[in-house]
Amino acid sequence: MSGLEGILIWIDNNSRFMKMRIGGEEIQGADERWLQVINPATGEEIDRVPNGTLYEVDDAVKAAEAAFSSWASRSARERGIILFRCAARVREHHSDLARTLTMEQGKPLKDAVDEVRGFANVLEYYAALSSSLTGDYLPLGPSGDAVILREPLGVCGAIIPWNMPALLMGWKVAPALVAGNTMVFKPASQTPLTSLTLVRMMEEAGLPPGTLNVVTGKGDVVGEALVRHPDIQKISFTGDVETGMRVQELAAGSFKSVTLELGGSDPMIVWKDADIEKAVAGAVRGRYYNAGQTCTAVKRLYVHQSIGEEFVHRLKAKVERLTVGNGLSPDVDMGPLSGASQRDRIQKFVETMQNHGQGIVLTGGVPLSGPAYDGGFFYAPTVVTDVHPESPLLSKEVFGPVLPVMCIPDLDTAICHANNTRFGLGASVWTRDLSVAKEVFSRVRSGVVWVNRHLTLPPEIPFGGLKVSGTGRENGMDGLLSYTRTRSLFLGW
Ligand code: NAD
C-alpha cells in the first residue's frame, strides 16, 4: 500500500494490543505511546490504544482531505446508501459491540445494546434524509435568476466524551458524512474501543478509507490539535462546559464553525395531577440510567407538596430495588461510575451537603465496595431530600446517581427553581393538564422540554442547549444543515 489511505487505529482480533495504520504501515508496541483502557466494573486493564500526538492528527487531516473530493462528488443519495450498509453491518454485530461498550464504559448490557442500535438508527435516519439535501433556484425578475448551491464544508473534526461513545459518535458522524464531508474523530481516552470497532465495521461495509478517521489520545493534545488545525472547517464538540469554552476560544483562531453540546442540570417538575407511578418510573430511569452520567439526566426533582410524601415513599422503594453491579451480569440495573475520580467527586458532593446541614440522605449516599463489587467504581443509588436552595447539588452538574428531591407549593416556584442554574439543556413536566405543560415550555429556559417523559431523544428532534449548555443543534434537519454551507450564483440575463 502506498500514500495516505486514512488513519485508522483499530483492534486486531489476534492481538491484545491495538495497531495503528498510517498510510498503510502498521505500528505496534506497548510503551508510553499507548493509553490504558480500564474496565470501570473491575478496575482492570482491558486493552491499550495509541496515545496520539499532533503528528497523527496532521496525518489524519491529510487523509481526510485526500478522501474529500471523491466522497463529496458522489450524490447525497449514494452516500446515504453506503450509510445504510454501514448501519446493517452494525446491527448484525450489535451484541459484540454492546459487550465492548459495557466493558469499557460500564453501562448494563441491555442499555449498551440499545445504544449500539441507536447508533445504527441515526445512520439510517440521515441516510434516509440524504435526498432532502438540495439547493434552490430563484427567478428574480428581469434582472436575473439565482442558483443557491448547498455544499459540504470539507474536513470536519468531532470530539466526544466517555458517557455515550456510540450514540454521540452517530450524532456527529452520520450528518457530516451524508452531507459530503470527511471527518477526523476523537473519542474520549477512557472509551475508544467502541468507536474504533464501529469505524472498522463501516469501512468493511463500504465506507471509503480516509472518509472517517479516528485519532485516539488525550484531550489537551489530540483534542486541542484538532480544534486548532487550520484545515479543519468545523468542530463538533460534546463535553464539559469549561472544555467547551476552551474549544470555542481555540477555534476562533481559525474562524471555524463550532457546535458545542455541553453539560446540563435538568429539572423534572411533577405536578399535583401527575400519574405518580409513571412519574416515579420516569425519575428512576431519568436519574439512574448510565449511573447518572448523562447530560440530560434528571438532576433536580421538584414535586408538588400535595403529593410529595407519597411520591418520595414510592421513589425510595423503587430506588432501593435497583441492582448495582458489573453490567455484563444479567439483571443489573446500574453499572459503575466511569472511574475513581468520578466516584470520589460524587462522594464529595454528598459529604459537603451533609457537613453543611444542607439536606438529608434518604437512601444511598455511599460508595459501594467489597467482594461483590469486584474492584470497580460503584456508588449507591442515592435520594436526598430537604435540600437547601444554595446547595451545590442544585447549582452544579452532578454527574452521578444522586437525586435531590424538593417539594414545591406552586408552579411559579417550580419554574423559578428550574431556571435557577447556568444550564439550559433539558427539562420535563409530569402532568395531565395541557395548560401546565404549555406554561413550563414557555417559561423554562432549556433546549428541550418533555411532557410525561425525560431523556427520550430520537434523531428526528433537533437537540442542543441554551445558556452555558451549548450552541448549535444536533439531530434533525438542523443537524444535517450544520455540516453544509450555501454558495450563491447570480445569473444576469
Ligand atoms: P470533557 O470535556 O472532559 O471531555 C470531552 C472530550 O473532550 C474528551 O474526548 C476529551 O478528551 C476532550 N478534551 C478534553 N480537553 C480538551 C481540550 N482542551 N480541547 C479539546 N478537547 C478536549 O468532558 P467529560 O467529562 O468527558 O464528559 C462529561 C461532560 O459531557 C458532562 O458535562 C456532560 O453533561 C457533557 N455531555 C453533554 C452532552 C450533550 O449532548 N449536551 C452529551 C453527553 C455529555
Side-chain angles (χ1 to χ4, degrees):
M1 286 193 260
S2 62
L4 279 170
E5 297 184 19
I7 175 164
L8 172 63
I9 303 166
W10 83 94
I11 306 162
D12 187 306
N13 291 333
N14 304 316
S15 153
R16 217 170 80 68
F17 296 114
M18 303 187 59
K19 293 181 175 179
M20 177 160 55
R21 183 185 73 205
I22 303 175
E25 276 179 48
E26 282 178 9
I27 301 171
Q28 196 173 8
D31 53 22
E32 72 285 351
R33 291 201 60 192
W34 301 82
L35 289 174
Q36 283 186 308
V37 182
I38 304 291
N39 181 342
T42 62
E44 287 166 354
E45 178 187 309
I46 49 170
D47 217 323
R48 293 184 184 189
V49 295
N51 188 7
T53 68
L54 309 191
Y55 300 106
E56 278 84 49
V57 171
D58 205 46
D59 280 342
V61 173
K62 286 197 181 101
E65 276 190 319
F68 175 71
S69 59
S70 141
W71 182 246
S73 66
R74 296 174 189 238
S75 71
R77 230 167 70 77
E78 202 183 328
R79 294 191 293 263
I81 288 166
I82 293 176
L83 257 63
F84 272 127
R85 287 197 198 117
C86 296
R89 189 160 181 91
V90 168
R91 286 194 186 279
E92 201 185 319
H93 294 279
H94 74 268
S95 348
D96 291 345
L97 278 160
R99 212 180 146 76
T100 303
L101 176 45
T102 293
M103 285 181 69
E104 68 175 346
Q105 198 272 335
K107 60 172 58 93
L109 205 49
K110 57 187 180 229
D111 292 333
V113 166
D114 284 349
E115 188 179 331
V116 169
R117 288 188 173 139
F119 174 86
N121 191 35
V122 180
L123 292 195
E124 288 159 356
Y125 168 72
Y126 278 111
L129 262 195
S130 60
S131 43
S132 317
L133 206 57
T134 58
D136 215 342
Y137 181 84
L138 307 176
L140 295 171
S143 61
D145 295 348
V147 178
I148 317 292
L149 191 72
R150 187 165 286 283
E151 60 178 31
L153 303 174
V155 179
C156 297
I159 301 174
I160 64 162
W162 42 264
N163 63 337
M164 313 268 270
L167 191 67
L168 298 180
M169 177 177 170
W171 287 5
K172 297 184 189 310
V173 163
L177 298 188
V178 162
N181 303 279
T182 54
M183 184 169 254
V184 181
F185 178 83
K186 185 196 125 31
S189 44
Q190 299 93 325
T191 54
L193 305 178
T194 310
S195 307
L196 288 163
T197 317
L198 284 168
V199 178
R200 190 179 189 188
M201 280 181 188
M202 290 173 76
E203 282 204 358
E204 286 164 359
L207 192 70
T211 309
L212 176 57
N213 307 275
V214 181
V215 183
T216 54
K218 295 185 178 155
D220 56 356
V221 179
V222 170
E224 293 209 1
L226 270 181
V227 178
R228 288 177 197 270
H229 203 290
D231 299 326
I232 290 191
Q233 308 301 319
K234 171 185 166 106
I235 285 285
S236 179
F237 171 85
T238 299
D240 188 68
V241 172
E242 272 60 41
T243 322
M245 286 177 184
R246 172 92 180 133
V247 166
Q248 178 92 294
E249 215 176 273
L250 292 176
S254 49
F255 294 100
K256 281 183 180 60
S257 138
V258 178
T259 298
L260 298 174
E261 295 288 0
L262 309 177
S265 178
D266 288 14
M268 167 171 174
I269 299 171
V270 185
W271 191 238
K272 54 189 166 193
D273 65 349
D275 177 333
I276 296 186
E277 202 49 42
K278 225 171 136 181
V280 166
V284 171
R285 180 73 179 160
R287 175 71 273 199
Y288 304 100
Y289 165 75
N290 207 16
Q293 304 167 116
T294 309
C295 53
T296 55
V298 172
K299 297 194 178 115
R300 298 170 291 143
L301 203 150
Y302 300 100
V303 54
H304 192 273
Q305 61 191 22
S306 63
I307 56 165
E309 201 175 317
E310 187 186 350
F311 186 95
V312 170
H313 175 74
R314 290 205 214 178
L315 177 71
K316 176 174 182 281
K318 203 167 173 72
V319 169
E320 287 175 347
R321 284 198 299 273
L322 291 174
T323 311
V324 182
N326 188 327
L328 291 180
S329 313
D331 304 325
V332 160
D333 299 304
M334 197 182 98
L337 294 173
S338 74
S341 61
Q342 192 67 13
R343 182 195 53 199
D344 298 346
R345 197 170 304 143
I346 297 305
Q347 177 60 6
K348 192 142 187 262
F349 269 117
V350 174
E351 274 173 9
T352 308
M353 179 202 76
Q354 287 174 314
N355 293 343
H356 289 82
Q358 288 184 326
I360 297 167
V361 173
L362 200 62
T363 183
V366 283
L368 297 171
S369 52
Y373 297 105
D374 226 8
F377 313 116
F378 294 95
Y379 198 84
T382 301
V383 177
V384 177
T385 57
D386 300 281
V387 186
H388 191 277
E390 298 302 315
S391 165
L393 270 187
L394 302 179
S395 57
K396 302 248 193 288
E397 180 180 35
V398 180
F399 222 52
V402 178
L403 180 57
V405 186
M406 279 71 56
C407 285
I408 39 96
D410 51 51
L411 197 56
D412 212 46
T413 309
I415 292 171
C416 285
H417 282 306
N419 282 329
N420 193 25
T421 71
R422 61 181 188 147
F423 301 102
L425 198 55
S428 65
V429 55
W430 297 70
T431 179
R432 295 178 165 100
D433 185 338
L434 197 55
S435 64
V436 170
K438 268 181 72 180
E439 173 111 6
V440 169
F441 179 62
S442 61
R443 291 180 55 200
V444 171
R445 305 299 300 142
S446 63
V448 57
V449 173
W450 292 275
V451 180
N452 299 324
R453 280 278 185 291
H454 204 109
L455 274 188
T456 312
L457 287 171
E460 288 84 353
I461 296 181
F463 172 66
L466 306 185
K467 305 199 274 185
V468 303
S469 292
T471 59
R473 294 290 175 263
E474 291 193 303
N475 292 342
M477 197 63 188
D478 291 24
L480 183 58
L481 295 182
S482 76
Y483 285 96
T484 68
R485 67 176 154 234
T486 55
R487 286 179 63 227
S488 306
L489 173 69
F490 186 90
L491 301 166
W493 303 127

